[in-house]
């Protein structure tokens, strides 16, 4: 599960974590290790348990069973105020009766940090998040992006070992969101804190993370670097949740010794996958990203191919999106990088579409877990 | 005037008119009465401070006003202290509304019935004395429970507690539970979060609950009559007598305005105390700087 390279013990270690709310099983069999200095994203659809998992780390919820260690110590009995973690709340939860400076100073004041030292640290942190000029504003007078910066500063000024971020960009509009993502990465580099970031947005997860923890129905589905999870999803859920993908559904049959063939509407694909998750007589899908497909002539050794008719073309500047229907009736999409003067097929054209065998992943259809 | 302002004005007009006719106008009349004089059985327009002077020179007025202030402060303090944990529970802990509705249900019982209930509980043959006798804590029934300032305070606490709880709940429901979590996350205990985050943000409502209880208690003239005895009388009854019995409206009006003044002073003191202890946030320290967005 943990493919971090650090030889040290992980900063956060969850073993066999279970969480139940009454009869509802919110988290099942959670095993997760997060290393110092990492940005780890807990990614999943709403209600999957990712926020519960983060609240358990923060100390606002307790595990029904299993252990949680932070820095090698079991923290089950520690209340939130005694844990070396700080949190950025989804709607910031800034204190409306305090100004920006006092919001950021709150944690230091509670801990009894001496006044001059406190002022120095708060100002340094406000500089980091570029809010020093607004330090005497009250919270009601700030924009969403500014609140976001204050919330980050208020948490980070305490020097937490782990910063927990609960969908911190969800309330911001797209443009500020993209800007804040860059800011977040910069601030993480500057402070060296470990970030655990909860989101349902796969783009945020891929842009920001060192590793993505994909969660579905209270279970960890896959933990991987973003590029590995994108190109090598280990389940249909992962393939569909991260980015766009085309799915060719079929049945696996044994076509030779150690050879499997995926029988689809568009004929058989010889499966080179050595994924142990699939075997003969399984219903399976081949997942292939739209940008991995092209209209070039296929090489039977290296490529898969189908013949299809173009239903629709969408030009969007740098790229064109083709909606196609294969001869077998399968709908799929192809994405092509646009070049000036390049001749591209148009709607109604019959085309030959191919993709490299190693760009496709064959996944079991029924089971969700990897 | 924008259309929405006009609509708002039209909608507010009935209540505003009603309050103007039946509160503001009578209050102004009452205020002017307080400068008139009563001679014989008639009240004569004048502009003298005689009523105010004779009120504050009267030992009876001073004694009952002192009673009203003490009973008011004690009742308001106890009521607020009792209602804060309940309000906190109802706002942040309780998952069902049942207790909230039970509190509303207490309003279905009549005010007078509840006063009589306390007479029964506190009387010489009452529940409290019976328990104390049974436990051997006292040998003879304690007379002093009933007909005392204590009896007035305990009865009025009972009557106004649900009121205070509702006000505390409405003040706290403005404060998101997330703020308490944020405070915990930044290093305070749950109690610390209450004093540093909940109290300052609920300050208006908490003071409202305190002052409302104080004003209602200090002005109450039924409960002292029924359970106060001679030592538990408050200004309300004295003022009522000026209007009902002695017919000295100017003096009654002056006493009423003195009580109003007392309430204002108490309010100012409570605010000052809150500011001093930091439970009420100081208003903004600096004018927000103009920012180029």
């Amino acid at each position: 599960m943990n493919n971090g390279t650090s030889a040290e013990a992980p900063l956060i270690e969850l073993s066999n974590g279970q969480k139940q709310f009454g009869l509802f099983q919110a988290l099942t069999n959670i095993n997760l290790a997060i290393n110092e200095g990492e940005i780890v994203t807990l990614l999943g659809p709403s209600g999957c348990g990712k926020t519960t998992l983060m609240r358990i780390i923060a100390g606002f919820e307790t595990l029904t069973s299993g252990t949680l260690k932070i820095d090698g110590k079991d923290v089950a009995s520690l209340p939130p105020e005694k844990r070396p973690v700080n949190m950025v709340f989804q709607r910031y939860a800034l204190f409306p009766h305090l100004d920006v400076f006092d919001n950021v100073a709150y944690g230091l004041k509670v801990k009894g940090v001496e006044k001059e030292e406190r002022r120095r640290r708060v100002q340094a942190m406000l500089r980091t998040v570029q809010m020093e000029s607004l330090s005497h504003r009250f919270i009601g007078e700030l924009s969403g992006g500014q609140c976001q910066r204050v919330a980050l500063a208020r948490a980070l000024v305490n020097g937490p070992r782990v910063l927990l971020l609960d969908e911190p960009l969800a309330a911001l509009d797209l443009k500020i969101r993209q800007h804040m993502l860059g800011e977040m990465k910069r601030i993480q580099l500057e402070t060296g804190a470990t970030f655990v970031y909860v989101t349902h947005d796969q783009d945020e997860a891929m842009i920001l993370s060192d590793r993505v923890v994909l969660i579905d129905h209270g279970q960890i589905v896959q933990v991987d670097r973003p590029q590995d999870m994108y190109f090598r999803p280990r389940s249909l859920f992962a393939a569909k949740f991260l980015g766009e993908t085309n799915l060719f559904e079929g049945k696996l049959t044994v076509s030779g010794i150690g050879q499997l063939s995926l029988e689809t509407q568009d004929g058989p694909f010889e499966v080179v996958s050595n994924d142990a998750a699939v075997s003969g007589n399984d219903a399976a899908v081949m997942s292939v990203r739209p940008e991995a497909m092209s209209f070039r002539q296929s090489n039977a050794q290296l490529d898969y191919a189908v013949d299809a008719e173009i239903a629709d073309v969408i030009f969007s500047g740098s790229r064109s999106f083709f909606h196609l229907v294969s001869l077998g009736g399968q709908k799929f999409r192809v994405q092509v990088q646009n070049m000036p003067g390049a001749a591209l097929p148009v709607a109604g054209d019959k085309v030959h579409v191919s993709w490299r065998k190693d760009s496709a992943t064959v996944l079991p259809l029924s089971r969700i877990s990897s | 005037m924008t259309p929405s302002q006009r609509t708002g004005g039209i909608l507010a007009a009935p209540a505003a008119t009603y309050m103007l006719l039946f509160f503001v106008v009578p209050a102004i009349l009452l205020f002017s009465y307080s400068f008139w004089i009563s001679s014989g059985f008639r009240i004569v327009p004048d502009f003298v401070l005689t009523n105010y002077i004779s009120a504050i020179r009267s030992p009876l007025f001073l004694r009952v006003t002192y009673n009203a202030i003490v009973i008011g402060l004690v009742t308001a303090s106890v009521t607020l202290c009792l209602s804060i944990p309940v309000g906190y529970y109802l706002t942040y802990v309780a998952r069902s509304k049942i207790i909230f509705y039970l509190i509303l249900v207490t309003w279905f019982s009549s005010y007078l019935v509840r006063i009589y209930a306390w007479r029964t509980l506190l009387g010489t043959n009452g529940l409290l004395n019976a328990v104390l006798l049974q436990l051997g804590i006292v040998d003879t029934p304690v007379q002093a429970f009933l007909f005392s300032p204590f009896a007035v305070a305990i009865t009025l606490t009972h009557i106004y507690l649900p009121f205070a709880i509702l006000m505390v709940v409405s003040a706290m429901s403005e404060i998101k539970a997330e703020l308490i979590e944020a405070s915990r996350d930044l290093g305070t205990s749950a109690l610390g979060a209450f004093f540093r985050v909940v109290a300052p943000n609920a300050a208006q409502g908490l003071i409202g609950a305190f002052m409302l209880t104080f004003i209602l208690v200090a002005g109450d003239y039924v409960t002292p009559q029924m359970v106060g005895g001679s030592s538990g009388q408050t200004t309300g009854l004295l003022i009522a007598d000026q209007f009902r019995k002695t017919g000295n409206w100017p003096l009654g009006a002056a006493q009423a305005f003195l009580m109003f003044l007392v309430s204002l002073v108490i309010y100012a003191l409570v605010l000052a105390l809150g500011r001093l202890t930091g439970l009420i946030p100081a208003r903004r320290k600096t004018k927000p700087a103009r920012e180029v967005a």
Side-chain angles (χ1 to χ4, degrees), chain A residues 55 81 86-87 97 102 106 137 141, chain B residues 181 183-185 196 201 285 289 291:
Chain A
R55 289 173 60 83
E81 62 265 30
N86 283 112
M87 185 155 158
H97 63 296
D102 286 339
Y106 190 92
R137 283 276 179 102
E141 302 162 346
Chain B
E181 289 188 344
S183 177
R184 299 287 308 270
D185 186 64
R196 284 173 186 271
N201 285 300
K285 286 176 268 185
E291 185 220 8

mmCIF file with all atom_site columns, all heavy atoms in Angstrom, chain A residues 55 81 86-87 97 102 106 137 141, chain B residues 181 183-185 196 201 285 289 291:
data_model
loop_
_atom_site.group_PDB
_atom_site.id
_atom_site.type_symbol
_atom_site.label_atom_id
_atom_site.label_alt_id
_atom_site.label_comp_id
_atom_site.label_asym_id
_atom_site.label_entity_id
_atom_site.label_seq_id
_atom_site.pdbx_PDB_ins_code
_atom_site.Cartn_x
_atom_site.Cartn_y
_atom_site.Cartn_z
_atom_site.occupancy
_atom_site.B_iso_or_equiv
_atom_site.pdbx_formal_charge
_atom_site.auth_seq_id
_atom_site.auth_comp_id
_atom_site.auth_asym_id
_atom_site.auth_atom_id
_atom_site.pdbx_PDB_model_num
ATOM 1   N N   . ARG A 1 55  ? -11.365 13.625 9.545  1.00 0.00 ? 55  ARG A N   1
ATOM 2   C CA  . ARG A 1 55  ? -11.802 14.048 10.888 1.00 0.00 ? 55  ARG A CA  1
ATOM 3   C C   . ARG A 1 55  ? -11.299 13.087 11.964 1.00 0.00 ? 55  ARG A C   1
ATOM 4   O O   . ARG A 1 55  ? -11.104 13.474 13.106 1.00 0.00 ? 55  ARG A O   1
ATOM 5   C CB  . ARG A 1 55  ? -13.332 14.171 10.929 1.00 0.00 ? 55  ARG A CB  1
ATOM 6   C CG  . ARG A 1 55  ? -13.832 15.374 10.118 1.00 0.00 ? 55  ARG A CG  1
ATOM 7   C CD  . ARG A 1 55  ? -15.345 15.404 10.024 1.00 0.00 ? 55  ARG A CD  1
ATOM 8   N NE  . ARG A 1 55  ? -15.969 15.488 11.340 1.00 0.00 ? 55  ARG A NE  1
ATOM 9   C CZ  . ARG A 1 55  ? -16.134 16.617 12.019 1.00 0.00 ? 55  ARG A CZ  1
ATOM 10  N NH1 . ARG A 1 55  ? -15.731 17.748 11.490 1.00 0.00 ? 55  ARG A NH1 1
ATOM 11  N NH2 . ARG A 1 55  ? -16.698 16.610 13.198 1.00 0.00 ? 55  ARG A NH2 1
ATOM 12  N N   . GLU A 1 81  ? -7.245  19.089 20.428 1.00 0.00 ? 81  GLU A N   1
ATOM 13  C CA  . GLU A 1 81  ? -6.328  20.170 20.812 1.00 0.00 ? 81  GLU A CA  1
ATOM 14  C C   . GLU A 1 81  ? -4.944  19.665 21.192 1.00 0.00 ? 81  GLU A C   1
ATOM 15  O O   . GLU A 1 81  ? -4.001  20.443 21.273 1.00 0.00 ? 81  GLU A O   1
ATOM 16  C CB  . GLU A 1 81  ? -6.936  21.013 21.946 1.00 0.00 ? 81  GLU A CB  1
ATOM 17  C CG  . GLU A 1 81  ? -7.210  20.267 23.238 1.00 0.00 ? 81  GLU A CG  1
ATOM 18  C CD  . GLU A 1 81  ? -8.647  19.771 23.340 1.00 0.00 ? 81  GLU A CD  1
ATOM 19  O OE1 . GLU A 1 81  ? -9.260  19.489 22.287 1.00 0.00 ? 81  GLU A OE1 1
ATOM 20  O OE2 . GLU A 1 81  ? -9.159  19.648 24.471 1.00 0.00 ? 81  GLU A OE2 1
ATOM 21  N N   . ASN A 1 86  ? -3.168  20.458 12.305 1.00 0.00 ? 86  ASN A N   1
ATOM 22  C CA  . ASN A 1 86  ? -4.112  21.572 12.203 1.00 0.00 ? 86  ASN A CA  1
ATOM 23  C C   . ASN A 1 86  ? -4.916  21.412 10.940 1.00 0.00 ? 86  ASN A C   1
ATOM 24  O O   . ASN A 1 86  ? -4.509  20.735 10.005 1.00 0.00 ? 86  ASN A O   1
ATOM 25  C CB  . ASN A 1 86  ? -3.389  22.923 12.227 1.00 0.00 ? 86  ASN A CB  1
ATOM 26  C CG  . ASN A 1 86  ? -2.943  23.300 13.626 1.00 0.00 ? 86  ASN A CG  1
ATOM 27  O OD1 . ASN A 1 86  ? -1.760  23.347 13.919 1.00 0.00 ? 86  ASN A OD1 1
ATOM 28  N ND2 . ASN A 1 86  ? -3.892  23.540 14.514 1.00 0.00 ? 86  ASN A ND2 1
ATOM 29  N N   . MET A 1 87  ? -6.071  22.041 10.960 1.00 0.00 ? 87  MET A N   1
ATOM 30  C CA  . MET A 1 87  ? -7.022  21.778 9.890  1.00 0.00 ? 87  MET A CA  1
ATOM 31  C C   . MET A 1 87  ? -7.465  23.081 9.217  1.00 0.00 ? 87  MET A C   1
ATOM 32  O O   . MET A 1 87  ? -7.610  24.105 9.867  1.00 0.00 ? 87  MET A O   1
ATOM 33  C CB  . MET A 1 87  ? -8.232  21.070 10.508 1.00 0.00 ? 87  MET A CB  1
ATOM 34  C CG  . MET A 1 87  ? -9.252  20.618 9.527  1.00 0.00 ? 87  MET A CG  1
ATOM 35  S SD  . MET A 1 87  ? -10.174 19.227 10.246 1.00 0.00 ? 87  MET A SD  1
ATOM 36  C CE  . MET A 1 87  ? -11.643 19.310 9.269  1.00 0.00 ? 87  MET A CE  1
ATOM 37  N N   . HIS A 1 97  ? -15.510 37.289 15.140 1.00 0.00 ? 97  HIS A N   1
ATOM 38  C CA  . HIS A 1 97  ? -15.355 38.385 16.105 1.00 0.00 ? 97  HIS A CA  1
ATOM 39  C C   . HIS A 1 97  ? -13.908 38.867 16.169 1.00 0.00 ? 97  HIS A C   1
ATOM 40  O O   . HIS A 1 97  ? -13.604 39.769 16.948 1.00 0.00 ? 97  HIS A O   1
ATOM 41  C CB  . HIS A 1 97  ? -15.843 37.954 17.476 1.00 0.00 ? 97  HIS A CB  1
ATOM 42  C CG  . HIS A 1 97  ? -15.055 36.816 18.073 1.00 0.00 ? 97  HIS A CG  1
ATOM 43  N ND1 . HIS A 1 97  ? -15.017 35.565 17.502 1.00 0.00 ? 97  HIS A ND1 1
ATOM 44  C CD2 . HIS A 1 97  ? -14.273 36.755 19.162 1.00 0.00 ? 97  HIS A CD2 1
ATOM 45  C CE1 . HIS A 1 97  ? -14.257 34.782 18.239 1.00 0.00 ? 97  HIS A CE1 1
ATOM 46  N NE2 . HIS A 1 97  ? -13.777 35.471 19.246 1.00 0.00 ? 97  HIS A NE2 1
ATOM 47  N N   . ASP A 1 102 ? -5.737  38.569 14.524 1.00 0.00 ? 102 ASP A N   1
ATOM 48  C CA  . ASP A 1 102 ? -6.093  37.802 15.724 1.00 0.00 ? 102 ASP A CA  1
ATOM 49  C C   . ASP A 1 102 ? -6.552  36.392 15.388 1.00 0.00 ? 102 ASP A C   1
ATOM 50  O O   . ASP A 1 102 ? -6.383  35.470 16.191 1.00 0.00 ? 102 ASP A O   1
ATOM 51  C CB  . ASP A 1 102 ? -7.166  38.542 16.531 1.00 0.00 ? 102 ASP A CB  1
ATOM 52  C CG  . ASP A 1 102 ? -6.579  39.748 17.261 1.00 0.00 ? 102 ASP A CG  1
ATOM 53  O OD1 . ASP A 1 102 ? -5.352  39.761 17.469 1.00 0.00 ? 102 ASP A OD1 1
ATOM 54  O OD2 . ASP A 1 102 ? -7.338  40.671 17.605 1.00 0.00 ? 102 ASP A OD2 1
ATOM 55  N N   . TYR A 1 106 ? -4.550  33.197 16.982 1.00 0.00 ? 106 TYR A N   1
ATOM 56  C CA  . TYR A 1 106 ? -5.370  32.464 17.952 1.00 0.00 ? 106 TYR A CA  1
ATOM 57  C C   . TYR A 1 106 ? -4.647  31.266 18.578 1.00 0.00 ? 106 TYR A C   1
ATOM 58  O O   . TYR A 1 106 ? -4.546  31.150 19.794 1.00 0.00 ? 106 TYR A O   1
ATOM 59  C CB  . TYR A 1 106 ? -6.656  31.991 17.256 1.00 0.00 ? 106 TYR A CB  1
ATOM 60  C CG  . TYR A 1 106 ? -7.713  31.434 18.171 1.00 0.00 ? 106 TYR A CG  1
ATOM 61  C CD1 . TYR A 1 106 ? -8.704  32.248 18.684 1.00 0.00 ? 106 TYR A CD1 1
ATOM 62  C CD2 . TYR A 1 106 ? -7.732  30.082 18.502 1.00 0.00 ? 106 TYR A CD2 1
ATOM 63  C CE1 . TYR A 1 106 ? -9.685  31.741 19.509 1.00 0.00 ? 106 TYR A CE1 1
ATOM 64  C CE2 . TYR A 1 106 ? -8.710  29.564 19.335 1.00 0.00 ? 106 TYR A CE2 1
ATOM 65  C CZ  . TYR A 1 106 ? -9.692  30.395 19.828 1.00 0.00 ? 106 TYR A CZ  1
ATOM 66  O OH  . TYR A 1 106 ? -10.669 29.884 20.650 1.00 0.00 ? 106 TYR A OH  1
ATOM 67  N N   . ARG A 1 137 ? -8.310  43.681 8.792  1.00 0.00 ? 137 ARG A N   1
ATOM 68  C CA  . ARG A 1 137 ? -9.661  43.466 8.288  1.00 0.00 ? 137 ARG A CA  1
ATOM 69  C C   . ARG A 1 137 ? -10.393 42.448 9.147  1.00 0.00 ? 137 ARG A C   1
ATOM 70  O O   . ARG A 1 137 ? -9.790  41.523 9.665  1.00 0.00 ? 137 ARG A O   1
ATOM 71  C CB  . ARG A 1 137 ? -9.581  42.879 6.862  1.00 0.00 ? 137 ARG A CB  1
ATOM 72  C CG  . ARG A 1 137 ? -9.258  43.871 5.796  1.00 0.00 ? 137 ARG A CG  1
ATOM 73  C CD  . ARG A 1 137 ? -10.510 44.577 5.352  1.00 0.00 ? 137 ARG A CD  1
ATOM 74  N NE  . ARG A 1 137 ? -10.206 45.553 4.332  1.00 0.00 ? 137 ARG A NE  1
ATOM 75  C CZ  . ARG A 1 137 ? -10.421 45.353 3.036  1.00 0.00 ? 137 ARG A CZ  1
ATOM 76  N NH1 . ARG A 1 137 ? -10.899 44.201 2.623  1.00 0.00 ? 137 ARG A NH1 1
ATOM 77  N NH2 . ARG A 1 137 ? -10.153 46.292 2.174  1.00 0.00 ? 137 ARG A NH2 1
ATOM 78  N N   . GLU A 1 141 ? -15.227 41.129 5.913  1.00 0.00 ? 141 GLU A N   1
ATOM 79  C CA  . GLU A 1 141 ? -14.824 42.074 4.871  1.00 0.00 ? 141 GLU A CA  1
ATOM 80  C C   . GLU A 1 141 ? -13.871 41.451 3.854  1.00 0.00 ? 141 GLU A C   1
ATOM 81  O O   . GLU A 1 141 ? -13.260 42.158 3.072  1.00 0.00 ? 141 GLU A O   1
ATOM 82  C CB  . GLU A 1 141 ? -14.131 43.284 5.526  1.00 0.00 ? 141 GLU A CB  1
ATOM 83  C CG  . GLU A 1 141 ? -15.006 43.991 6.532  1.00 0.00 ? 141 GLU A CG  1
ATOM 84  C CD  . GLU A 1 141 ? -14.226 44.882 7.488  1.00 0.00 ? 141 GLU A CD  1
ATOM 85  O OE1 . GLU A 1 141 ? -12.989 44.763 7.561  1.00 0.00 ? 141 GLU A OE1 1
ATOM 86  O OE2 . GLU A 1 141 ? -14.877 45.686 8.160  1.00 0.00 ? 141 GLU A OE2 1
ATOM 87  N N   . GLU B 2 181 ? -15.034 23.576 16.533 1.00 0.00 ? 181 GLU B N   1
ATOM 88  C CA  . GLU B 2 181 ? -14.022 22.604 16.101 1.00 0.00 ? 181 GLU B CA  1
ATOM 89  C C   . GLU B 2 181 ? -12.718 23.310 15.753 1.00 0.00 ? 181 GLU B C   1
ATOM 90  O O   . GLU B 2 181 ? -11.633 22.836 16.093 1.00 0.00 ? 181 GLU B O   1
ATOM 91  C CB  . GLU B 2 181 ? -14.529 21.811 14.892 1.00 0.00 ? 181 GLU B CB  1
ATOM 92  C CG  . GLU B 2 181 ? -15.631 20.839 15.263 1.00 0.00 ? 181 GLU B CG  1
ATOM 93  C CD  . GLU B 2 181 ? -16.007 19.925 14.111 1.00 0.00 ? 181 GLU B CD  1
ATOM 94  O OE1 . GLU B 2 181 ? -15.652 20.232 12.956 1.00 0.00 ? 181 GLU B OE1 1
ATOM 95  O OE2 . GLU B 2 181 ? -16.662 18.899 14.377 1.00 0.00 ? 181 GLU B OE2 1
ATOM 96  N N   . SER B 2 183 ? -11.593 26.008 16.995 1.00 0.00 ? 183 SER B N   1
ATOM 97  C CA  . SER B 2 183 ? -10.946 26.405 18.236 1.00 0.00 ? 183 SER B CA  1
ATOM 98  C C   . SER B 2 183 ? -10.265 25.215 18.910 1.00 0.00 ? 183 SER B C   1
ATOM 99  O O   . SER B 2 183 ? -9.133  25.312 19.386 1.00 0.00 ? 183 SER B O   1
ATOM 100 C CB  . SER B 2 183 ? -11.984 27.024 19.181 1.00 0.00 ? 183 SER B CB  1
ATOM 101 O OG  . SER B 2 183 ? -11.386 27.352 20.404 1.00 0.00 ? 183 SER B OG  1
ATOM 102 N N   . ARG B 2 184 ? -10.955 24.072 18.921 1.00 0.00 ? 184 ARG B N   1
ATOM 103 C CA  . ARG B 2 184 ? -10.354 22.857 19.478 1.00 0.00 ? 184 ARG B CA  1
ATOM 104 C C   . ARG B 2 184 ? -9.086  22.519 18.690 1.00 0.00 ? 184 ARG B C   1
ATOM 105 O O   . ARG B 2 184 ? -8.048  22.199 19.264 1.00 0.00 ? 184 ARG B O   1
ATOM 106 C CB  . ARG B 2 184 ? -11.326 21.662 19.365 1.00 0.00 ? 184 ARG B CB  1
ATOM 107 C CG  . ARG B 2 184 ? -12.630 21.807 20.097 1.00 0.00 ? 184 ARG B CG  1
ATOM 108 C CD  . ARG B 2 184 ? -12.522 21.690 21.578 1.00 0.00 ? 184 ARG B CD  1
ATOM 109 N NE  . ARG B 2 184 ? -11.841 20.501 22.059 1.00 0.00 ? 184 ARG B NE  1
ATOM 110 C CZ  . ARG B 2 184 ? -12.420 19.333 22.349 1.00 0.00 ? 184 ARG B CZ  1
ATOM 111 N NH1 . ARG B 2 184 ? -13.708 19.187 22.185 1.00 0.00 ? 184 ARG B NH1 1
ATOM 112 N NH2 . ARG B 2 184 ? -11.721 18.326 22.832 1.00 0.00 ? 184 ARG B NH2 1
ATOM 113 N N   . ASP B 2 185 ? -9.196  22.583 17.389 1.00 0.00 ? 185 ASP B N   1
ATOM 114 C CA  . ASP B 2 185 ? -8.072  22.254 16.518 1.00 0.00 ? 185 ASP B CA  1
ATOM 115 C C   . ASP B 2 185 ? -6.876  23.152 16.805 1.00 0.00 ? 185 ASP B C   1
ATOM 116 O O   . ASP B 2 185 ? -5.737  22.736 16.700 1.00 0.00 ? 185 ASP B O   1
ATOM 117 C CB  . ASP B 2 185 ? -8.524  22.425 15.054 1.00 0.00 ? 185 ASP B CB  1
ATOM 118 C CG  . ASP B 2 185 ? -7.466  21.972 14.073 1.00 0.00 ? 185 ASP B CG  1
ATOM 119 O OD1 . ASP B 2 185 ? -7.161  20.771 14.074 1.00 0.00 ? 185 ASP B OD1 1
ATOM 120 O OD2 . ASP B 2 185 ? -6.936  22.818 13.331 1.00 0.00 ? 185 ASP B OD2 1
ATOM 121 N N   . ARG B 2 196 ? -13.831 31.503 24.423 1.00 0.00 ? 196 ARG B N   1
ATOM 122 C CA  . ARG B 2 196 ? -13.111 32.291 23.428 1.00 0.00 ? 196 ARG B CA  1
ATOM 123 C C   . ARG B 2 196 ? -13.896 32.500 22.136 1.00 0.00 ? 196 ARG B C   1
ATOM 124 O O   . ARG B 2 196 ? -13.643 33.444 21.397 1.00 0.00 ? 196 ARG B O   1
ATOM 125 C CB  . ARG B 2 196 ? -11.788 31.627 23.079 1.00 0.00 ? 196 ARG B CB  1
ATOM 126 C CG  . ARG B 2 196 ? -10.726 31.810 24.146 1.00 0.00 ? 196 ARG B CG  1
ATOM 127 C CD  . ARG B 2 196 ? -9.518  30.958 23.783 1.00 0.00 ? 196 ARG B CD  1
ATOM 128 N NE  . ARG B 2 196 ? -8.518  30.971 24.829 1.00 0.00 ? 196 ARG B NE  1
ATOM 129 C CZ  . ARG B 2 196 ? -7.532  31.864 24.907 1.00 0.00 ? 196 ARG B CZ  1
ATOM 130 N NH1 . ARG B 2 196 ? -7.439  32.796 23.995 1.00 0.00 ? 196 ARG B NH1 1
ATOM 131 N NH2 . ARG B 2 196 ? -6.651  31.808 25.879 1.00 0.00 ? 196 ARG B NH2 1
ATOM 132 N N   . ASN B 2 201 ? -19.233 35.527 20.348 1.00 0.00 ? 201 ASN B N   1
ATOM 133 C CA  . ASN B 2 201 ? -20.121 35.629 19.196 1.00 0.00 ? 201 ASN B CA  1
ATOM 134 C C   . ASN B 2 201 ? -21.593 35.595 19.576 1.00 0.00 ? 201 ASN B C   1
ATOM 135 O O   . ASN B 2 201 ? -22.440 36.057 18.822 1.00 0.00 ? 201 ASN B O   1
ATOM 136 C CB  . ASN B 2 201 ? -19.792 34.539 18.173 1.00 0.00 ? 201 ASN B CB  1
ATOM 137 C CG  . ASN B 2 201 ? -18.519 34.851 17.418 1.00 0.00 ? 201 ASN B CG  1
ATOM 138 O OD1 . ASN B 2 201 ? -18.425 35.867 16.751 1.00 0.00 ? 201 ASN B OD1 1
ATOM 139 N ND2 . ASN B 2 201 ? -17.523 34.002 17.563 1.00 0.00 ? 201 ASN B ND2 1
ATOM 140 N N   . LYS B 2 285 ? -11.204 47.543 15.855 1.00 0.00 ? 285 LYS B N   1
ATOM 141 C CA  . LYS B 2 285 ? -10.113 48.341 16.387 1.00 0.00 ? 285 LYS B CA  1
ATOM 142 C C   . LYS B 2 285 ? -9.732  49.468 15.438 1.00 0.00 ? 285 LYS B C   1
ATOM 143 O O   . LYS B 2 285 ? -9.471  50.572 15.840 1.00 0.00 ? 285 LYS B O   1
ATOM 144 C CB  . LYS B 2 285 ? -8.898  47.437 16.623 1.00 0.00 ? 285 LYS B CB  1
ATOM 145 C CG  . LYS B 2 285 ? -9.067  46.548 17.835 1.00 0.00 ? 285 LYS B CG  1
ATOM 146 C CD  . LYS B 2 285 ? -7.895  45.613 17.974 1.00 0.00 ? 285 LYS B CD  1
ATOM 147 C CE  . LYS B 2 285 ? -8.186  44.311 17.276 1.00 0.00 ? 285 LYS B CE  1
ATOM 148 N NZ  . LYS B 2 285 ? -7.139  43.320 17.459 1.00 0.00 ? 285 LYS B NZ  1
ATOM 149 N N   . ALA B 2 289 ? -9.057  49.502 5.995  1.00 0.00 ? 289 ALA B N   1
ATOM 150 C CA  . ALA B 2 289 ? -8.380  50.318 4.998  1.00 0.00 ? 289 ALA B CA  1
ATOM 151 C C   . ALA B 2 289 ? -9.033  50.096 3.640  1.00 0.00 ? 289 ALA B C   1
ATOM 152 O O   . ALA B 2 289 ? -9.518  49.010 3.345  1.00 0.00 ? 289 ALA B O   1
ATOM 153 C CB  . ALA B 2 289 ? -6.910  49.938 4.949  1.00 0.00 ? 289 ALA B CB  1
ATOM 154 N N   . GLU B 2 291 ? -9.196  49.143 0.027  1.00 0.00 ? 291 GLU B N   1
ATOM 155 C CA  . GLU B 2 291 ? -8.323  48.235 -0.718 1.00 0.00 ? 291 GLU B CA  1
ATOM 156 C C   . GLU B 2 291 ? -8.701  48.272 -2.185 1.00 0.00 ? 291 GLU B C   1
ATOM 157 O O   . GLU B 2 291 ? -9.873  48.340 -2.529 1.00 0.00 ? 291 GLU B O   1
ATOM 158 C CB  . GLU B 2 291 ? -8.485  46.811 -0.195 1.00 0.00 ? 291 GLU B CB  1
ATOM 159 C CG  . GLU B 2 291 ? -7.527  45.849 -0.823 1.00 0.00 ? 291 GLU B CG  1
ATOM 160 C CD  . GLU B 2 291 ? -8.187  44.517 -1.114 1.00 0.00 ? 291 GLU B CD  1
ATOM 161 O OE1 . GLU B 2 291 ? -9.407  44.402 -0.965 1.00 0.00 ? 291 GLU B OE1 1
ATOM 162 O OE2 . GLU B 2 291 ? -7.465  43.614 -1.522 1.00 0.00 ? 291 GLU B OE2 1
#
